[in-house]
Amino acid sequence: MRMAAYCRVSTEKEEQLSSLENQREFFEQYADKEGDTLVKIYADEGISGKSMNKREAFTQLLEDSKTGAFDYVAVKDISRFARNTSDFLYGIRTLRSNGVDVRFLSNNQTVIGESEFVLTVFAALAQEESSNLSKRVIFGKRQNAKKGRVPNVVYGYNKIDTYTLEINEQESYIVQVMFKWYIEGEGTRRIAIKLNEMAIPTKKQAKWVPKTIRRILQNPIYIGKIINNKSVTKDFLSGTREAIPPEEWYIHERPELRIISDDDFELVQQKIKERQEQYKNDNPGNRFSNRHLFSNLIKCGECGKSFTAKVYQWKNRYVRYRCCVHNNNGNAHCTNSVTVDEQELLNEVKSYLLTAIEDKKAFADKLMKQYQAQTTNVDVSKLTDTRQSLEKRRSKFKEMFAADIITMDELKKEMSAIDEGMRSIDEELKVYDEIQEKATHIDDIHKDIEQILMQNEYTNDDMRRIIEKIVVYPDKSVEIFMK
């Protein structure tokens, strides 16, 4: 008979992975003893058996059982198959409905049981064993928490034992730099980018991400406080955790671990709260459209993406714009590091508009050149011919389907490709028509400009009425495209 085997270890520790090798050897010996052919061994490494989540090999085993690739599955004891009774029954019934038997083997390679009732009893015992183990682990962690257990891995410190940390001088300096940058106005994303660009790794030698930076900025360990017992596992099967009220936390004062002053820590917490409130209270409809004067109008001359605004408050309020790709991902994705000051850009726009009013002919000629540049590579005749050719192909494939030359699936595949091509052409032609339409309304643009220049204050809507986009290039040059 053809045999498949399933094995699992619940952690990635070296001794557990060696156990996985032992299980594989166990199945090879069993197949030889029975005179069967070992088709495949499905193995989940470092995965818990409390649920089917992330058990890719187990899921693949159930899927392959539909193909008739093997006659039975061997598993070394029930707890390796599942510690969750419902998952256990689902797996057994799925395999048997696909004509695949399941054999659970003891250490001496005898079959434990075959009836579903007997197997269910064993599975329930395995689940109860897992539950009791979870309770013992939780109890042990709570006792350690009361005594002041320290984190296993925390940036800025080296762990000595369960209750002792020592300050890592190099990492603690980086923590101080993070707090300094945040106080100066940098966000968690920018801090992560700067550290990555400086080739400074995390504790686990990985890249920095905003979430990791935020955790460090909010961790009271850096002012000499270790807080334990903040949450507890609510359900050992799902692994879901439940927050514990602050009055039940275990707070341990450890002044020897201080890296950040109380004043700096509190200032950072205040700034984090302010930024969260500001984001939460933003009108979702305005958040990315018209909150700032040039929102969604400034485009990067290198990558083509938008410049996003950032507000600085120091004696006066300043708004500055940077390329979102460079800001979020650094030089590797876009090298345009130009920062645009809102007031300076407004002055440049006003100067540009005044020039337009003073010399209407020169302004009209400039607009026409911009419009023509946007349509230089558009061959309307070729696009129209291509579209007609696609229409003919559409009709041809419909006729082939009607004559039973191709199947419905083949027809759908061809029609999907044709429709995608036609949509692309229609979009190009639409843009071309819109640009041509713009060229006929230059006089209307002049009137709008004159009206806006008479105003003392400006809004994003005012700018959007007359400006199509403002392109900022890496050499700091700016190009304004009018509507």
Side-chain angles (χ1 to χ4, degrees):
M1 296 179 70
R2 295 166 303 162
M3 164 187 154
Y6 176 75
C7 54
R8 175 187 61 79
V9 295
S10 57
T11 73
E12 293 180 341
K13 293 180 181 179
E14 185 177 346
E15 62 269 23
Q16 286 278 24
L17 293 182
S18 65
S19 171
L20 182 59
E21 291 303 316
N22 292 336
Q23 290 184 57
R24 285 175 172 159
E25 183 180 349
F26 175 87
F27 292 124
E28 290 169 354
Q29 292 174 355
Y30 180 77
D32 288 341
K33 186 181 78 171
E34 296 294 312
D36 293 335
T37 302
L38 180 57
V39 176
K40 183 176 180 179
I41 296 178
Y42 295 83
D44 279 314
E45 301 181 19
I47 303 296
S48 169
K50 292 183 291 186
S51 74
M52 290 177 60
N53 293 338
K54 299 181 181 179
R55 293 175 65 187
E56 295 178 1
F58 185 77
T59 303
Q60 190 62 50
L61 169 70
L62 299 183
E63 191 65 28
D64 291 350
S65 69
K66 300 175 184 177
T67 66
F70 40 82
D71 301 307
Y72 73 93
V73 177
V75 185
K76 187 177 184 295
D77 77 63
I78 289 172
S79 65
R80 297 297 92 196
F81 193 73
R83 287 183 180 270
N84 180 327
T85 307
S86 61
D87 285 349
F88 173 84
L89 290 174
Y90 171 78
I92 289 290
R93 290 170 180 173
T94 298
L95 290 168
R96 287 183 173 175
S97 68
N98 293 328
V100 176
D101 193 17
V102 185
R103 298 181 188 178
F104 294 98
L105 310 175
S106 65
N107 287 331
N108 61 3
Q109 296 189 345
T110 59
V111 179
I112 293 174
E114 294 185 356
S115 76
E116 185 172 295
F117 172 76
V118 172
L119 292 175
T120 301
V121 171
F122 281 121
L125 291 173
Q127 178 173 317
E128 185 63 21
E129 178 188 350
S130 183
S131 175
N132 290 334
L133 176 61
S134 177
K135 291 174 183 176
R136 290 195 296 272
V137 170
I138 291 172
F139 176 78
K141 285 185 175 181
R142 180 166 293 178
Q143 293 302 109
N144 287 337
K146 285 181 180 179
K147 298 176 183 178
R149 171 180 54 84
V150 299
N152 288 326
V153 179
V154 56
Y155 193 82
Y157 305 93
N158 300 324
K159 184 175 181 179
I160 306 302
D161 56 40
T162 305
Y163 308 105
T164 311
L165 293 174
E166 69 174 7
I167 293 177
N168 180 308
E169 295 299 330
Q170 184 176 355
E171 291 178 358
S172 65
Y173 172 73
I174 300 302
V175 171
Q176 291 171 341
V177 170
M178 290 183 197
F179 276 82
K180 177 177 178 291
W181 282 345
Y182 196 84
I183 290 171
E184 291 175 349
E186 295 287 8
T188 55
R189 187 176 297 277
R190 280 297 305 162
I191 293 173
I193 290 171
K194 291 172 78 169
L195 292 175
N196 290 333
E197 289 178 343
M198 294 166 67
I200 297 173
T202 67
K203 193 78 169 179
K204 296 182 178 180
Q205 304 302 305
K207 294 285 187 181
W208 291 98
V209 295
K211 186 176 181 180
T212 306
I213 302 294
R214 191 176 299 109
R215 283 179 176 173
I216 288 176
L217 294 175
Q218 294 180 301
N219 194 339
I221 195 171
Y222 300 109
I223 57 171
K225 287 185 180 179
I226 294 178
I227 302 178
N228 290 330
N229 201 46
K230 295 177 70 175
S231 65
V232 66
T233 301
K234 184 179 180 181
D235 181 356
F236 86 98
L237 290 176
S238 65
T240 55
R241 299 187 67 81
E242 186 178 63
I244 294 175
E247 57 269 20
E248 297 180 26
W249 293 354
Y250 304 140
I251 302 175
H252 304 274
E253 298 287 345
R254 302 286 294 274
E256 73 277 11
L257 299 180
R258 178 184 292 277
I259 293 175
I260 302 297
S261 70
D262 288 340
D263 289 343
D264 283 351
F265 187 81
E266 288 305 317
L267 181 56
V268 165
Q269 306 320 302
Q270 180 183 342
K271 285 183 173 291
I272 290 174
K273 185 177 180 181
E274 288 173 355
R275 292 182 186 184
Q276 289 174 339
E277 288 297 319
Q278 184 181 17
Y279 183 84
K280 184 174 68 175
N281 294 329
D282 272 347
N283 183 332
N286 295 334
R287 185 172 294 155
F288 300 107
S289 60
N290 59 8
R291 181 179 172 194
H292 301 287
L293 185 58
F294 294 106
S295 291
N296 277 3
L297 283 173
I298 309 175
K299 304 297 179 182
C300 177
E302 180 175 333
C303 70
K305 299 299 183 181
S306 294
F307 271 44
T308 51
K310 185 172 182 179
V311 179
Y312 296 83
Q313 193 76 37
W314 178 252
K315 294 184 180 179
N316 296 310
R317 180 178 181 273
Y318 303 92
V319 179
R320 295 193 171 101
Y321 300 83
R322 299 186 75 186
C323 171
C324 65
V325 174
H326 176 85
N327 202 41
N328 293 337
N329 302 301
N331 281 334
H333 295 80
C334 179
T335 60
N336 191 349
S337 61
V338 176
T339 298
V340 178
D341 181 89
E342 186 175 88
Q343 187 59 49
E344 292 177 1
L345 181 58
L346 177 59
N347 292 338
E348 188 163 344
V349 169
K350 288 168 68 175
S351 176
Y352 179 87
L353 298 180
L354 284 169
T355 302
I357 296 301
E358 291 168 358
D359 192 342
K360 291 185 178 182
K361 185 179 184 306
F363 180 71
D365 290 342
K366 185 171 184 177
L367 285 184
M368 286 303 299
K369 287 181 181 178
Q370 287 182 348
Y371 295 151
Q372 290 167 2
Q374 293 178 64
T375 59
T376 298
N377 297 323
V378 178
D379 188 334
V380 176
S381 176
K382 184 177 180 179
L383 287 174
T384 303
D385 290 342
T386 304
R387 197 182 193 289
Q388 290 176 352
S389 176
L390 289 173
E391 283 282 8
K392 290 178 182 178
R393 281 175 58 83
R394 176 196 286 271
S395 299
K396 177 185 174 182
F397 281 110
K398 284 184 177 179
E399 292 171 359
M400 291 172 68
F401 173 72
D404 289 331
I405 297 175
I406 60 174
T407 65
M408 174 61 79
D409 288 340
E410 290 172 330
L411 176 65
K412 287 180 178 179
K413 182 179 179 181
E414 295 294 341
M415 296 296 277
S416 176
I418 291 171
D419 289 344
E420 182 60 34
M422 292 178 68
R423 275 195 297 271
S424 178
I425 291 172
D426 289 342
E427 287 174 3
E428 286 192 64
L429 291 173
K430 181 181 177 182
V431 170
Y432 178 85
D433 290 340
E434 288 175 350
I435 292 172
Q436 295 301 310
E437 179 69 10
K438 289 177 183 178
T440 66
H441 293 286
I442 293 179
D443 286 340
D444 294 333
I445 294 174
H446 277 291
K447 292 177 183 178
D448 281 337
I449 291 173
E450 290 173 345
Q451 182 180 348
I452 287 173
L453 284 174
M454 293 172 64
Q455 300 173 193
N456 293 323
E457 296 182 354
Y458 307 92
T459 66
N460 180 259
D461 288 337
D462 293 329
M463 295 294 105
R464 292 166 73 91
R465 270 172 54 199
I466 59 173
I467 297 175
E468 179 75 25
K469 63 181 177 179
I470 300 171
V471 180
V472 178
Y473 297 95
D475 62 359
K476 298 185 179 181
S477 62
V478 176
E479 189 172 9
I480 301 172
F481 291 82
M482 305 301 294
K483 277 193 173 179

